[in-house]
Amino acid sequence: MANPYGALFKAPGSVAFSAAGFVGRMPVSMTGIGIITMLSQMNGEYGLAGAVSAAFTLSMALCGPQVSRIVDRKGQSKVLLPAAGLSVISMAGLLLCAHYRAPAWTLFVFAILAGTLPNMAAMVRARWTHVYRDSPKLHTAFSLESVVDEMTFVVGPALSVALSTSLFAEAGPMIASALLAIGVLLFIPQKRTEPAVHVGEDGGPSAGSAIRIGALQLLALILAAGGTIVGTVDVVSVAFAEEQGAPASAGIVLSVYAVGSALAGLVFGARKLKTPLPRLLTFGAAGTAVTMLPLLLVGNVTTLSAAVFFSGIFFAPTMIIIMGLVEKIVPARQLTEGMTWAITGLSVGTALGAAVSGSMVDRFGPTGGFAVATVAGAASLLLALVAYRPLAHGIRPARPEEAPVSGAEAAAAGETGDDKDGAQPALDAQKASS
């Protein structure tokens, strides 16, 4: 059988932009935990460290969609460098303030400003969509991206902590900012795969934010519920392992969860979809809800590992389905923003899950934390059922509804036009009209 993932990279420029995007997205998983590690090592105050990290995370959640909205209007090459530059400079200010014991309020100011880093995962997905719009390969590309997301969130936090504890306290956030700068600088020059800037059907700029689309709101909420599960598993696994007298085994549990999700994502991405995406989303949410129930019955680390493995099986496929639905319901002129809102929902849910489950663990032990995951799974299913009809009616037909207004897409077509699966309908329409 041909390797569907290898076939993705036959498109010129795909290896380069995906590799640069991988480097550039690492700071998302490294910076928050890096700030906590840095500040806790410097002054021993976990409360301040957690608050500054939360300020960064909240800023990133709020600024990310706005940066992506400007990207949709101006183009990646014009926006990514200023946004990343502000983030890198602000992080340098945060590190200097922490090193020289500046007043605490300065840490919050620079942490908030550092949250302007662009969402590189959304930027890469936008490029895959540009290359393989309306092609079955786009499903495989989104599957690959979900697995890459898993990798960054497994490797990133551990790398950041290791750097700050083995080198010097500021090393984790510093290296994260360096990776952002390197990734963006490698990403921007790749013009042939850069998505074109689009305008509305009337020729005017897009009006309003993509989050005004009701179906997108529901998808972001479903990912927020999934993120709550992820955050809960992170926190409760550590608490459960400590309760069992084997704190080091928490890493095994988290790795098993990530492996289950990644394997399922790879298998799911290799399949050709025949079932409508809204129905698949319902199935995925139902599987998520059902696999949360065994968490309430685990008695040791082995059974917990087995339980999280099966719950992880539904995470990556559900995220793949959601990103596919975002591509179907959001106009091309707002695609990057729409994808960023979805990913933001996941990030907010992860932070919420960590906070709520931590409180429940303090009060009721690990079982209380697992109850949070169970409720989040039920919420995911309920939201998927509510979203079914809006999603089914909101999917746009597979034809160009907006015309590109930059020459980047034409250049890309010249490189990928021989690939029958690499659909470029907007280009065909542009050529026909000219």
Side-chain angles (χ1 to χ4, degrees):
M1 179 181 293
N3 180 3
Y5 294 99
L8 288 177
F9 296 102
K10 292 181 179 179
S14 56
V15 173
F17 80 71
S18 58
F22 175 78
V23 174
R25 78 176 68 181
M26 287 295 291
V28 174
S29 63
M30 293 178 63
T31 305
I33 189 65
I35 291 173
I36 292 175
T37 307
M38 175 185 70
L39 294 178
S40 62
Q41 281 194 309
M42 286 181 167
N43 53 34
E45 296 182 15
Y46 285 91
L48 176 62
V52 174
S53 178
F56 168 79
T57 302
L58 181 60
S59 175
M60 185 172 57
L62 295 176
C63 293
Q66 307 311 316
V67 171
S68 293
R69 184 179 179 185
I70 300 173
V71 166
D72 284 329
R73 293 187 173 191
K74 304 294 184 180
Q76 292 183 354
S77 59
K78 292 183 178 180
V79 179
L80 294 186
L81 187 58
L86 177 57
S87 178
V88 171
I89 293 171
S90 299
M91 184 55 65
L94 174 60
L95 298 182
L96 289 173
C97 289
H99 183 80
Y100 290 105
R101 309 284 179 170
W105 64 266
T106 62
L107 303 178
F108 287 96
V109 170
F110 283 112
I112 291 171
L113 292 175
T116 59
L117 75 167
N119 191 308
M120 294 304 294
M123 304 301 160
V124 174
R125 285 180 168 92
R127 293 207 177 205
W128 284 123
T129 303
H130 166 72
V131 174
Y132 291 123
R133 186 182 297 278
D134 295 329
S135 164
K137 288 184 178 181
L138 185 58
H139 163 69
T140 306
F142 284 167
S143 302
L144 175 65
E145 290 305 308
S146 294
V147 174
V148 172
D149 285 337
E150 289 281 352
M151 291 174 58
T152 59
F153 278 93
V154 170
V155 175
L159 175 61
S160 185
V161 172
L163 289 169
S164 290
T165 54
S166 61
L167 298 179
F168 50 92
E170 301 93 338
M174 180 182 295
I175 297 300
S177 289
L179 291 175
L180 174 63
I182 293 170
V184 169
L185 289 174
L186 292 174
F187 196 79
I188 290 175
Q190 301 173 44
K191 302 295 186 182
R192 61 183 173 183
T193 54
E194 180 180 354
V197 177
H198 291 74
V199 295
E201 292 179 347
D202 59 355
S206 57
S209 171
I211 198 60
R212 294 184 180 183
I213 301 172
L216 178 60
Q217 295 173 9
L218 291 169
L219 291 176
L221 287 173
I222 294 171
L223 271 183
T228 301
I229 294 172
V230 173
T232 299
V233 170
D234 287 347
V235 172
V236 182
S237 295
V238 174
F240 186 85
E242 290 181 351
E243 185 182 75
Q244 295 292 309
S249 63
I252 298 175
V253 175
L254 296 176
S255 297
V256 167
Y257 182 76
V259 168
S261 179
L263 289 176
L266 288 173
V267 173
F268 185 72
R271 298 180 61 85
K272 293 184 177 180
L273 300 182
K274 297 181 180 180
T275 306
L277 289 177
R279 188 177 301 172
L280 283 175
L281 178 60
T282 304
F283 293 157
T288 299
V290 170
T291 53
M292 290 301 103
L293 298 176
L295 293 175
L296 299 173
L297 305 176
V298 297
N300 52 52
V301 173
T302 301
T303 55
L304 175 59
S305 298
V308 299
F309 176 82
F310 286 105
S311 62
I313 284 176
F314 289 93
F315 179 77
T318 302
M319 186 172 180
I320 294 164
I321 294 165
I322 288 176
M323 299 310 294
L325 283 165
V326 171
E327 190 270 332
K328 298 291 186 184
I329 66 173
V330 175
R333 65 183 183 271
Q334 297 175 303
L335 181 60
T336 310
E337 182 194 355
M339 290 183 172
T340 304
W341 276 115
I343 298 170
T344 295
L346 178 65
S347 300
V348 171
T350 302
L352 178 65
V356 174
S357 62
S359 176
M360 292 293 288
V361 167
D362 288 339
R363 297 182 61 183
F364 305 106
T367 302
F370 290 136
V372 174
T374 303
V375 172
S380 176
L381 176 57
L382 178 61
L383 288 166
L385 292 172
V386 171
Y388 184 85
R389 289 180 63 85
L391 290 172
H393 289 88
I395 293 178
R396 297 176 294 108
R399 59 181 176 84
E401 294 185 354
E402 298 121 348
V405 296
S406 84
E409 193 161 3
E415 299 291 341
T416 59
D418 294 336
D419 186 356
K420 295 181 180 180
D421 292 328
Q424 298 282 355
L427 278 172
D428 295 339
Q430 186 184 33
K431 292 178 181 178
S433 64
S434 60

